[in-house]
Amino acid sequence: MADKEKLTMVVFSGDFDRALGAFIIATTAASMGMDVSMFFTFWGLNVIKKNTGPIKGKGIMRKMLNIMNRGGSKRLKLSRFNMLGLGTWMMKELMKDIKHPTLDDLIKMAQEMGVKMIACTTTCSVMGLTEEAFRPEVESLAGAAYFLGEARNSKATMFI
Amino acid sequence: MADKEKLTMVVFSGDFDRALGAFIIATTAASMGMDVSMFFTFWGLNVIKKNTGPIKGKGIMRKMLNIMNRGGSKRLKLSRFNMLGLGTWMMKELMKDIKHPTLDDLIKMAQEMGVKMIACTTTCSVMGLTEEAFRPEVESLAGAAYFLGEARNSKATMFI
Amino acid sequence: MADKEKLTMVVFSGDFDRALGAFIIATTAASMGMDVSMFFTFWGLNVIKKNTGPIKGKGIMRKMLNIMNRGGSKRLKLSRFNMLGLGTWMMKELMKDIKHPTLDDLIKMAQEMGVKMIACTTTCSVMGLTEEAFRPEVESLAGAAYFLGEARNSKATMFI
């Protein structure tokens, strides 16, 4: 039997709008029968951080970083027109108005559809994050070699 | 006869510099005999909005959004060094100086060379945009499934 | 003998974090036996500018641009939390703490591993840059057609 066609994404950005784009693509691709891998790195780790509870980090600098850069799908901001949160709120209202799934809905749907969500080991080490920092939909931590193994066998690879 | 090699781009960004990059790649690829699809979404819709006339939207929030986020190739700004428009103006002068086509020229050239420009249905609904909002070079509106259909058959796919 | 699998990247961004991501991917791919091309354009040219000595440009506007937009791997800033340089410094300290190679180390390693670094002819002309502006690891200047020639034969292409 032929393998399923693969789609691979690096989610580097922690912007609300880019995260939304990534998950719309991921869930659509999964619904078309593709095998989807999302590799979260740098600010993109914010997209898959759990929304509640503290995020720990060893040492003063990592503690500070994880307070300033708290993350979680509910805290993400638009890359433009955030306007102290007003723009991001407005965008969510507009999505509700057309009954578009929220980012949180999309993350859950993605997991149910078999989309693999992986956190980048290297940026986790730099930022002092362990598996505990992430939501349950996240499968595991892995490095750039894992991502490239997926990318080289993919029909399309995107850096978001 | 073999199919032409395909190139697919998601244009997510509405920055002048990234739009320029996307259209330089698109027209070069078309001149090399490739079949190019550009899928505009989110702020990228600003790149293909018409430059003149009002852009309508239903309801107060969409009206406000389409005023603040008016778009059109002539209103785009550099992602860096915009400096209240001075930087963007300077960049356009530098392009003129080496007789580089303007962004508007490139959009027209792209269409003449057969580059397909598609606006994302979902973000159009969220932002309250219809086909009327776009310039004539835009072929139609389509969803993420259309984009993925192109991407899975492409030699390269980029998210810009 | 079969050709090596190719990986191609456009480095459009001049942010420290994105440059780091690009070079981690490039060196990992090279270590996995892939043939890697990096095509630097627009603000991405800052990543490969030499760190010392003046960067010249003809005419007042290009002189100004090359002062404001000096570039060089040691001058890049984080895309978020730069905080007048404090955030970027902190990120470098955190990398040192886990003994992660610096961006400069990664650029040197990349070249030793055979990664090709190419500067985009068009943006060099616009910005008034010649080969002299770049560090020795940069192989040459080339246009979008060169990049597309690589991309169409690549297992994955990314726009960073």
Side-chain angles (χ1 to χ4, degrees), chain C residues 51-158:
Chain C
N51 279 308
T52 54
I55 298 216
K56 290 162 197 168
K58 276 183 192 164
I60 283 185
M61 279 200 297
R62 290 194 174 85
K63 277 195 175 66
M64 269 175 56
L65 180 67
N66 289 328
I67 289 170
M68 290 191 320
N69 184 42
R70 170 59 178 81
S73 62
K74 293 186 195 304
R75 282 179 193 82
L76 306 181
K77 292 168 190 167
L78 282 180
S79 62
R80 288 172 79 163
F81 296 117
N82 179 55
M83 303 183 297
L84 302 171
L86 182 66
T88 303
W89 171 82
M90 220 171 94
M91 191 59 67
K92 291 179 181 174
E93 288 298 307
L94 293 175
M95 287 166 62
K96 230 185 266 178
D97 185 52
I98 63 156
K99 302 199 191 328
H100 193 282
T102 66
L103 179 55
D104 248 37
D105 292 339
L106 288 167
I107 297 176
K108 283 172 206 151
M109 281 165 60
Q111 190 218 14
E112 285 163 17
M113 296 168 94
V115 172
K116 266 181 289 177
M117 296 174 231
I118 309 289
C120 164
T121 321
T122 304
T123 24
C124 284
S125 303
V126 171
M127 298 184 171
L129 300 170
T130 59
E131 292 204 24
E132 274 174 55
F134 300 110
R135 40 194 305 158
E137 289 89 352
V138 175
E139 199 173 289
S140 64
L141 270 63
Y146 169 84
F147 153 68
L148 284 159
E150 298 285 289
R152 78 204 302 181
N153 293 312
S154 290
K155 289 288 174 180
T157 298
M158 281 175 278

Side-chain angles (χ1 to χ4, degrees), chain C residues 36-52:
Chain C
V36 185
S37 286
M38 301 175 85
F39 187 75
F40 295 85
T41 185
F42 249 94
W43 315 111
L45 293 171
N46 285 349
V47 181
I48 50 166
K49 281 182 189 164
K50 60 188 182 186
N51 279 308
T52 54

